[in-house]
Amino acid sequence: MTLWNGSYPFYPGANACFPFDTTWAVIITVFLSMLVTFIIILPGIRGRGRLFWFLRLVLGLFMGAVVLTVQFTRDWETGWVQANTSYKSFSTVQVNADIGLHIGLAGVNVTLRGNPVNQINETINYNEHFPWNFGADYDRSYSEGLQKGLPSPILYVAEKFSTQSPCAVHRQYRIAGHYASAMLWLAFCTWLMSILLFSMSILLYGGHMLLLTATLIFFSLLFFFTTRNIPKCPIQFGPVSLRTGYGESFWLTLATGLLCLLLGLGIVVLNSVQPEKLKLIFSLDKSSEEEVWDKSCLPAEPSCSAQDVLMVPLGELCQVTATRL
């Protein structure tokens, strides 16, 4: 057994991290709570309007939750590679590990997970975040990682996105993330306006707001797409290289934009072609209900005395009252 069990005393151990991001966990919890609350009152809605109301509720909450959640996710662009690589600086010891790169709108995450997790008397399980949003300094975060003595694969990947790197991708990713985030915040505002307009039964303008929401979502995807056209520096680990592709957040945002586009176009077309069906979908067609209510209030078959009284002319009634006994 060597001194310090074969590890360097100035390198801290892997810190235990929370298993998921609390920001989007809170957002999902809030929207799920709203969904459960509305489901509880669902039995109070009569007729086939219950189904249409439930579909509008689920689609509306889904679009709002996605537009708000993808602001804080870190998997717009992801990549994994398994390689044998050096673990610490100034050491020839190599480990077998999975190295992951996760790029979001506000920064980059680098993951290092050993195969197996316990190697060289250490637990190799790291997930480090390096932000580049407003108010954050990426180079400072990278310098702090150097001071903490993070594993070499994490520092090697993070260095590719620093401002001093010859790759020169930091500025492109940072600006694209800022503009994409701004477009998504605007899309969330227009989504709220569409929900408000639908609740006020202003269906046409609500459809226009959905189309505007889809347009803003597509612009956010376009801004992030521009980063894929810039030349990338190779992230090489021996004979293998780390390559990235669009992640779950990108495709989920694209699907939400297409959903907003289809719903907005459907509302606008139905409003001009068949407005009665559109009112039926939004439970605004009250003619049939009023007709049923009117029929239910009238007596089924009027009595003979009522018919006689109604058929007697007014002049005969006056004459009868003036007759002497």
Side-chain angles (χ1 to χ4, degrees):
M1 178 178 292
T2 59
L3 186 63
W4 304 107
N5 292 327
S7 63
Y8 294 94
F10 47 85
Y11 286 128
N15 296 325
C17 58
F18 208 60
F20 50 83
D21 191 350
T22 55
T23 303
W24 61 261
V26 170
I27 295 173
I28 293 177
T29 302
V30 170
F31 276 89
L32 286 179
S33 301
M34 295 174 61
L35 178 62
V36 171
T37 302
F38 286 116
I39 288 178
I40 292 176
I41 66 175
L42 185 63
I45 302 176
R46 299 179 180 179
R48 56 184 176 181
R50 179 187 305 173
L51 177 61
F52 292 133
W53 187 85
F54 180 74
L55 290 177
R56 297 198 309 269
L57 171 67
V58 172
L59 292 176
L61 291 179
F62 172 78
M63 291 184 293
V66 170
V67 172
L68 189 59
T69 304
V70 294
Q71 291 268 7
F72 308 98
T73 55
R74 299 169 182 175
D75 57 350
W76 280 69
E77 187 177 347
T78 60
W80 284 92
V81 67
Q82 183 177 358
N84 291 318
T85 179
S86 61
Y87 182 56
K88 295 293 185 181
S89 301
F90 311 107
S91 174
T92 58
V93 178
Q94 290 194 343
V95 296
N96 184 270
D98 291 327
I99 306 164
L101 175 61
H102 314 278
I103 302 174
L105 300 181
V108 60
N109 271 57
V110 184
T111 303
L112 179 67
R113 186 179 304 128
N115 288 317
V117 176
N118 296 316
Q119 297 183 48
I120 59 173
N121 296 327
E122 289 192 28
T123 301
I124 305 175
N125 189 9
Y126 290 84
N127 183 20
E128 297 293 330
H129 180 62
F130 301 91
W132 55 45
N133 56 323
F134 285 121
D137 190 349
Y138 186 94
D139 291 339
R140 181 179 179 182
S141 300
Y142 177 71
S143 300
E144 292 175 353
L146 287 172
Q147 295 174 5
K148 290 191 300 183
L150 292 177
S152 296
I154 295 180
L155 296 175
Y156 170 67
V157 176
E159 190 272 337
K160 297 291 185 179
F161 295 89
S162 64
T163 57
Q164 305 299 327
S165 174
C167 297
V169 296
H170 174 84
R171 185 172 179 271
Q172 285 81 359
Y173 271 102
R174 187 171 182 265
I175 294 176
H178 290 339
Y179 280 105
S181 178
M183 292 297 102
L184 288 175
W185 279 118
L186 290 176
F188 183 74
C189 294
T190 55
W191 170 80
L192 286 177
M193 293 180 63
S194 67
I195 295 298
L196 179 62
L197 291 172
F198 288 142
S199 63
M200 297 172 61
S201 303
I202 309 177
L203 305 182
L204 180 59
Y205 291 103
H208 290 164
M209 284 295 104
L210 279 182
L211 291 177
L212 182 57
T213 302
T215 303
L216 293 172
I217 291 176
F218 290 147
F219 270 113
S220 69
L221 295 173
L222 180 61
F223 284 127
F224 192 82
F225 173 77
T226 57
T227 61
R228 298 286 296 175
N229 296 327
I230 60 178
K232 300 292 182 64
C233 283
I235 305 177
Q236 200 75 23
F237 293 94
V240 296
S241 60
L242 176 58
R243 302 182 183 276
T244 60
Y246 292 121
E248 296 178 358
S249 295
F250 182 89
W251 298 116
L252 185 60
T253 306
L254 177 61
T256 305
L258 292 175
L259 179 62
C260 292
L261 179 63
L262 292 177
L263 291 178
L265 287 176
I267 291 173
V268 172
V269 171
L270 281 179
N271 184 80
S272 60
V273 176
Q274 293 181 336
E276 295 80 10
K277 289 188 177 181
L278 183 61
K279 292 180 179 180
L280 180 63
I281 294 175
F282 282 87
S283 303
L284 299 179
D285 189 7
K286 302 296 183 181
S287 59
S288 58
E289 296 182 4
E290 293 176 356
E291 183 179 355
V292 172
W293 184 84
D294 292 338
K295 291 181 179 179
S296 62
C297 294
L298 293 176
E301 292 183 0
S303 60
C304 296
S305 59
Q307 290 181 353
D308 295 340
V309 172
L310 293 175
M311 293 177 65
V312 174
L314 182 60
E316 294 183 5
L317 287 176
C318 297
Q319 185 178 1
V320 170
T321 55
T323 303
R324 296 181 181 179
L325 297 176

